[in-house]
Amino acid sequence: TQTRGPLSRIIFLSTALIPCFAFSSSNNYNYHSSTIGPNTSTSTSTEQQQPCAPVVSNKQSNLSLLDTDRMKRKILSGKVYQHENFLTEDEIRVLLQDVDGLIQENKMIPSGLSNTNKGTDQNFGRGDRTTCPVTWWLDSLRGLNVVTTSKEKQQSLQQQQQQSQPQPHGTDKRNLELLNSLSEKIQQLRHEVALTLNRPTINDASLAHECYYSRSTEGALLKRHMDERHEETKGPRGWMLPSRRSVSWLIYLSDFDVQGGELRSYVQDGFAWGPERGNMVEVASNRGNLQVGWLDMRMDGTLPVFLDSWYRPPGVREMDHDEMFCILYTIIDGKEVYITKPWVNTMVVESFADFIKMQTLEKGPGLFRNDVYAKNFKLLEDRQLWENGSVPPGSTIKDVKPKRGSLVMFDSVVVPHEVLVVKGGVRTALAGWFHEKT
């Protein structure tokens, strides 16, 4: 794996070297962010690293779990997909019993959004949700039978099995059957997402797919954030791991009378994927280059902007310059169009966002190829704007209620989102991220 240095002082190349359209870049590698979710470890065991065959129940394999056409349009357009009644009430009940066991064993730990500058001193409290990684998740990925997380329930089930007594409906044995059926259902969901979105590596069970329980009581909220970002914006470690978060998903187990706790997303209504629109450009990733912003082109609508950090300009030989260049581009009429000049990293700057924002304010020759691009480019992740409580330019607010039994999914790279304060009841979810290779 080739490593890159952090963002740095920028060397601009003459515009004479810049053709209007781009060509393909080298391979990308990724670091999977560890600041959002509670279950971010990657096992190095031989068993986990071997690709697993798809785990799909024979009873469920011929039936689609989703409205696949609507899901595809929503996610590839950078919107949020919601599917009501994804779980039955029996399935919700068995998961909530699993959560109750974790609460009794003090495994549900307060967890907000981590500030890496604070280390382990995050000061999480009542205003934060509690979370716990789902310990049967790896067995689920491997196609094995799963057991409840609670040690007490495991021991009870073992005693029943040893006594070989028939178990009536509603006992731990019945719950275990439901849990295994539900495990297969979630893996079928993963495979349907991979097929529908044409992201085949989501099928690979050896990747660091994540799953956890989240529980929020009155007063809890989650501030605006992104679930995934471009490797170049994470510093040197951004290129170290072989997969990244691709699709974020939540299945709500909330109280019937929960108040507040809506998932608030900020989506770009000026962009929509669809063959009938003549637009086959997808959000999030192009040739492995992740999206970092939007470009408002008026007549052409809002366009996704991608960062290619493995670019080598024409006329620059590897023997003369062994560092790859960065460049921003969008896609117009099926062609990749550069909106900046290339830059190379030689000295550390504060952050990618600060650097880009500084360049958009420059007049005349600078990073952007013209003032129109500079003026109309907007970052996906603008924390200064967020801290002021502002809505990202061109965005529309969409709120999704935490409706019991419903499934919510969106692309992990392009959707800024937050969870509004819970005003009453308990907001509970089984949630996670499906990963894809980089």
Side-chain angles (χ1 to χ4, degrees), residues 166-341:
Q167 303 301 321
H169 180 81
T171 63
D172 283 344
K173 185 176 181 180
R174 171 59 178 161
N175 289 345
L176 195 59
E177 291 172 350
L178 280 170
L179 187 62
N180 276 274
S181 175
L182 193 147
S183 167
E184 292 179 347
K185 190 174 188 177
I186 296 174
Q187 298 311 323
Q188 183 185 349
L189 171 65
R190 179 167 61 88
H191 299 307
E192 283 197 24
V193 168
L195 178 64
T196 303
L197 301 183
N198 192 26
R199 300 180 184 182
T201 60
I202 289 178
N203 281 314
D204 187 345
S206 71
L207 299 185
H209 306 289
E210 303 168 69
C211 183
Y212 67 100
Y213 289 119
S214 174
R215 186 175 186 271
S216 302
T217 55
E218 185 175 349
L221 54 82
L222 197 61
K223 294 182 179 180
R224 199 182 315 177
H225 62 281
M226 308 291 293
D227 282 352
E228 186 57 281
R229 56 182 64 84
H230 196 289
E231 300 95 329
E232 193 69 23
T233 67
K234 300 176 185 177
R237 66 180 186 173
W239 302 94
M240 294 176 62
L241 293 183
S243 73
R244 67 168 179 86
R245 291 170 176 171
S246 178
V247 175
S248 305
W249 58 273
L250 305 93
I251 303 173
Y252 288 116
L253 316 172
S254 305
D255 291 353
F256 288 105
D257 60 350
V258 66
Q259 299 176 36
E262 295 89 350
L263 175 71
R264 170 164 291 183
S265 61
Y266 299 84
V267 300
Q268 293 281 332
D269 279 342
F271 177 84
W273 176 91
E276 76 286 352
R277 299 172 179 267
N279 180 22
M280 299 303 290
V281 179
E282 301 174 7
V283 297
S285 180
N286 176 265
R287 295 190 291 103
N289 303 314
L290 297 194
Q291 185 178 343
V292 294
W294 296 98
L295 187 67
D296 183 2
M297 291 299 290
R298 304 282 190 263
M299 296 297 294
D300 291 315
T302 303
L303 307 175
V305 174
F306 306 94
L307 170 60
D308 182 352
S309 51
W310 297 89
Y311 174 74
R312 187 172 297 281
V316 177
R317 300 179 302 175
E318 185 174 356
M319 65 181 66
D320 298 329
H321 203 290
D322 60 1
E323 178 82 9
M324 301 300 287
F325 290 76
C326 296
I327 196 166
L328 296 181
Y329 69 93
T330 190
I331 299 177
I332 300 177
D333 295 331
K335 297 181 179 180
E336 297 174 10
V337 179
Y338 297 133
I339 69 171
T340 66
K341 306 165 191 175

Side-chain angles (χ1 to χ4, degrees), residues 10-62:
I10 309 305
I11 299 176
F12 300 146
L13 294 189
S14 166
T15 54
L17 292 175
I18 311 304
C20 186
F21 304 110
F23 52 88
S24 63
S25 65
S26 304
N27 291 334
N28 281 304
Y29 300 89
N30 199 326
Y31 168 72
H32 144 61
S33 172
S34 62
T35 60
I36 307 294
N39 184 18
T40 58
S41 61
T42 302
S43 172
T44 57
S45 69
T46 304
E47 181 181 358
Q48 184 184 2
Q49 293 304 317
Q50 295 300 318
C52 298
V55 180
V56 183
S57 166
N58 291 331
K59 295 180 181 179
Q60 298 170 342
S61 59
N62 295 325

Side-chain angles (χ1 to χ4, degrees), residues 60-68 188 192:
Q60 298 170 342
S61 59
N62 295 325
L63 300 175
S64 176
L65 298 172
L66 309 171
D67 180 345
T68 53
Q188 183 185 349
E192 283 197 24

Side-chain angles (χ1 to χ4, degrees), residues 8-12 328 339-343 349 351-379:
S8 58
R9 181 178 60 85
I10 309 305
I11 299 176
F12 300 146
L328 296 181
I339 69 171
T340 66
K341 306 165 191 175
W343 71 88
V349 294
S351 73
F352 171 79
D354 289 339
F355 163 70
I356 291 294
K357 289 181 68 176
M358 178 180 68
Q359 296 302 320
T360 60
L361 300 176
E362 291 287 335
K363 300 297 182 182
L367 178 66
F368 284 85
R369 295 186 68 242
N370 59 51
D371 288 342
V372 174
Y373 291 156
K375 179 180 179 181
N376 294 323
F377 173 77
K378 306 300 178 186
L379 287 164

Side-chain angles (χ1 to χ4, degrees), residues 54-216:
V55 180
V56 183
S57 166
N58 291 331
K59 295 180 181 179
Q60 298 170 342
S61 59
N62 295 325
L63 300 175
S64 176
L65 298 172
L66 309 171
D67 180 345
T68 53
D69 287 341
R70 186 167 66 89
M71 185 268 283
K72 186 174 185 178
R73 292 175 186 276
K74 287 284 188 180
I75 293 182
L76 296 186
S77 298
K79 311 297 194 298
V80 176
Y81 169 77
Q82 184 178 23
H83 187 105
E84 295 188 0
N85 300 315
F86 182 76
L87 294 187
T88 67
E89 191 57 35
D90 279 346
E91 291 170 330
I92 295 171
R93 173 181 54 78
V94 75
L95 290 175
L96 286 175
Q97 287 181 356
D98 202 18
V99 173
D100 287 343
L102 293 169
I103 293 173
Q104 293 171 13
E105 295 170 9
N106 297 316
K107 291 181 178 178
M108 296 292 291
I109 307 300
S111 175
L113 294 179
S114 297
N115 181 343
T116 54
N117 294 326
K118 293 182 178 180
T120 58
D121 185 20
Q122 297 293 331
N123 295 319
F124 295 137
R126 181 174 174 79
D128 297 297
R129 60 183 179 171
T130 58
T131 66
C132 181
V134 173
T135 58
W136 47 261
W137 178 243
L138 286 181
D139 285 340
S140 176
L141 287 169
R142 295 166 179 163
L144 304 177
N145 287 333
V146 301
V147 296
T148 180
T149 304
S150 170
K151 291 180 180 178
E152 180 180 341
K153 290 185 179 297
Q154 287 181 25
Q155 293 170 354
S156 173
L157 181 62
Q158 289 171 355
Q159 291 173 358
Q160 292 172 10
Q161 290 173 337
Q162 291 170 358
Q163 295 170 0
S164 300
Q165 296 177 353
Q167 303 301 321
H169 180 81
T171 63
D172 283 344
K173 185 176 181 180
R174 171 59 178 161
N175 289 345
L176 195 59
E177 291 172 350
L178 280 170
L179 187 62
N180 276 274
S181 175
L182 193 147
S183 167
E184 292 179 347
K185 190 174 188 177
I186 296 174
Q187 298 311 323
Q188 183 185 349
L189 171 65
R190 179 167 61 88
H191 299 307
E192 283 197 24
V193 168
L195 178 64
T196 303
L197 301 183
N198 192 26
R199 300 180 184 182
T201 60
I202 289 178
N203 281 314
D204 187 345
S206 71
L207 299 185
H209 306 289
E210 303 168 69
C211 183
Y212 67 100
Y213 289 119
S214 174
R215 186 175 186 271
S216 302

